[in-house]
Amino acid sequence: MWNQHVFIVFAIEHYNPLGVIRVLGFEGVHPDYIAIKGRAELSSHSRFINKCHRVDSVEEGYDVLCKVYGDIKEKTGRKPFIICSDDKTIGYLDLHYNELKDRFILYNAGKQGRINEFMDKFKILECAKKHGLNVLDSKVVKRGDNPGDIKYPIITKAISPNSGGWKSDVFICNNYNELDKAYEKIKSDEILVQTYIEKKNEYCVEGCSVDRGRDVLYSIYSTYNYMIKGYYSPYRTSGSFDNPKLKECLDGMMKEIGFEGIFDAEFLVAEDGTLWFLEINFRNTTWSYASACAGMPLATIWAKSMFEGKIIEGAYKHVKPFKAMVEPIDYNLRVNRGTIGKMRWFCEMLSCKCRDYINIRDLKPSWLTIKNWSKLG
């Protein structure tokens, strides 16, 4: 049985792994948690955790993983599951796939380093274009170089989530002079420059895949209830994914990559409604807990499906659109900045079907959220 295996959540302290831990806990599975130091200790205080190992780095966590759990398969005949929710951890494990594949069940693309290969923003854009998705004009350049004949305005991005300053390397430039000034702050040696268009919204698709990417569940979509230039919105609307044309394109990508694991695909929605492909995150993502709130808990669906070699029967559920919120971030962006009053915000928060931090079934992380409210916002 899938739930007789050891489950290990290996991730930076964040509401993302907190969602995974709760999803597993709600189904009677108490995972061990290798908790990499983050802004505040929250997820590591979930009542659903069996054992917690607090570490300061991915490298230290990897050492714990191998020393504490590396012989479980040999002793019990059952490989532990590893679930990741941040780019650095999944990137590190992917580079050690050959050492792990016979001892653990983990996100993979069938070959060491292949997930990292497609975490390269230009590589994944080329893959998306090949499979029929709309892709904005993009170039890879060395920091300081003139990108030449690209249409301005442009947006700069680190070529990989594990390089440079990542989010801090994002700049919107209307001409080369502005890009030249941005280079003074950009940390990445190599960056992606991409034609920038004003977005009407974003469209994010959560899912999981098995059988080397040949069988994929797309569970929910999420769109944003207000826009933030150059950033995601923490207050969103989610619902069951139902877009056959988009599914066909994404199926082609997942099959080519050969990915097995939990992921999301992100799109920019232009003013005319056109979807422009942005990226795929090869990990449990921030909006994945909303999938569980829609009756599609990706962590357990993926584990069960890995046993069967295909997506389990009845995994997909049809639900009406609902509201979801990252509470401290939304409070900071709307209440602290004077957009809405506290009472209206409180009512909107209570009306959300998905709240990423506060949950009465897991009180200590909820209390610590309130205690660290300003730090988390």
Side-chain angles (χ1 to χ4, degrees):
M1 290 288 290
W2 69 276
N3 58 1
Q4 293 177 347
H5 288 240
V6 171
F7 278 76
I8 305 158
V9 177
F10 185 4
I12 296 170
E13 284 265 13
H14 191 266
Y15 64 87
N16 188 336
L18 178 61
V20 176
I21 291 162
R22 286 170 169 171
V23 164
L24 291 169
F26 294 158
E27 292 215 22
V29 175
H30 290 242
D32 288 2
Y33 182 25
I34 301 176
I36 306 165
K37 188 175 181 179
R39 286 188 187 181
E41 287 187 5
L42 287 169
S43 46
S44 58
H45 290 278
S46 172
R47 72 181 182 91
F48 297 112
I49 292 170
N50 175 53
K51 184 186 296 182
C52 182
H53 307 273
R54 289 187 172 85
V55 296
D56 291 326
S57 67
V58 174
E59 293 79 8
E60 187 182 339
Y62 184 76
D63 191 50
V64 170
L65 179 72
C66 294
K67 287 180 178 177
V68 178
Y69 302 97
D71 62 351
I72 287 180
K73 164 63 166 58
E74 185 180 346
K75 289 179 177 178
T76 68
R78 294 188 291 268
K79 293 181 181 180
F81 281 90
I82 306 173
I83 297 181
C84 298
S85 61
D86 60 83
D87 294 310
K88 189 169 183 180
T89 306
I90 185 58
Y92 192 87
L93 295 186
D94 180 54
L95 293 176
H96 293 79
Y97 177 63
N98 290 343
E99 302 165 22
L100 300 171
K101 63 181 180 179
D102 296 326
R103 296 187 286 170
F104 298 93
I105 300 172
L106 70 160
Y107 305 167
N108 74 92
K111 179 183 175 184
Q112 183 161 296
R114 188 163 173 81
I115 292 176
N116 277 275
E117 183 182 342
F118 285 93
M119 287 168 77
D120 180 293
K121 284 191 170 293
F122 191 74
K123 177 90 174 185
I124 197 68
L125 289 173
E126 289 297 293
C127 182
K129 190 186 301 182
K130 176 181 175 181
H131 291 282
L133 293 171
N134 298 313
V135 175
L136 292 164
D137 188 22
S138 307
K139 287 187 176 184
V140 179
V141 298
K142 297 288 186 184
R143 185 179 63 227
D145 285 356
N146 190 328
D149 60 343
I150 191 168
K151 184 178 178 182
Y152 285 88
I154 59 168
I155 185 168
T156 67
K157 301 176 182 179
I159 196 66
S160 163
N162 293 327
S163 68
W166 191 220
K167 295 296 185 185
S168 62
D169 279 354
V170 175
F171 292 89
I172 298 167
C173 307
N174 293 299
N175 50 56
Y176 179 69
N177 286 338
E178 291 185 13
L179 175 60
D180 197 37
K181 290 180 180 177
Y183 279 144
E184 296 174 7
K185 300 177 182 178
I186 289 172
K187 296 178 181 178
S188 302
D189 292 327
E190 194 173 51
I191 64 166
L192 181 85
V193 294
Q194 187 174 61
T195 295
Y196 175 80
I197 62 173
E198 289 293 339
K199 64 185 177 184
K200 181 180 179 181
N201 211 313
E202 289 189 25
Y203 186 84
C204 305
V205 181
E206 310 302 313
C208 65
S209 57
V210 298
D211 190 23
R212 293 286 180 261
R214 289 186 285 264
D215 199 7
V216 188
L217 167 70
Y218 305 97
S219 58
I220 63 165
Y221 73 87
S222 296
T223 56
Y224 299 145
N225 298 335
Y226 61 88
M227 297 297 104
I228 303 171
K229 195 169 185 176
Y231 197 62
Y232 67 85
S233 169
Y235 185 36
R236 58 208 191 270
T237 297
S238 297
S240 298
F241 176 81
D242 183 15
N243 188 323
K245 185 177 179 180
L246 198 58
K247 179 184 184 302
E248 183 180 354
C249 297
L250 290 171
D251 278 346
M253 293 182 70
M254 299 308 291
K255 186 176 180 181
E256 178 180 339
I257 296 165
F259 181 67
E260 295 180 336
I262 301 170
F263 67 92
D264 88 344
E266 298 183 2
F267 298 81
L268 181 153
V269 184
E271 289 293 341
D272 63 0
T274 301
L275 291 180
W276 294 91
F277 176 83
L278 293 175
E279 64 181 345
I280 290 177
N281 293 301
F282 298 100
R283 52 178 171 77
N284 190 85
T285 68
T286 43
W287 305 157
S288 138
Y289 183 64
S291 182
C293 294
M296 294 173 275
L298 292 174
T300 53
I301 289 172
W302 177 67
K304 294 173 185 177
S305 299
M306 286 294 285
F307 264 82
E308 295 197 12
K310 63 179 181 179
I311 298 297
I312 58 171
E313 292 288 332
Y316 179 81
K317 310 288 185 187
H318 182 75
V319 298
K320 293 179 180 179
F322 59 91
K323 297 294 190 296
M325 182 186 288
V326 189
E327 307 94 293
I329 299 176
D330 187 66
Y331 186 92
N332 179 52
L333 289 171
R334 294 200 294 154
V335 178
N336 287 348
R337 299 185 186 184
T339 304
I340 65 171
K342 292 180 181 179
M343 185 57 68
R344 180 182 163 188
W345 179 87
F346 187 71
C347 291
E348 288 187 7
M349 184 270 290
L350 287 181
S351 71
C352 289
K353 184 174 183 177
C354 171
R355 290 183 289 274
D356 289 310
Y357 276 102
I358 298 172
N359 192 305
I360 60 171
R361 296 172 68 185
D362 193 19
L363 288 176
K364 190 166 184 182
S366 302
W367 160 244
L368 289 169
T369 296
I370 296 168
K371 184 178 178 181
N372 292 281
W373 194 260
S374 59
K375 188 185 295 185
L376 297 169

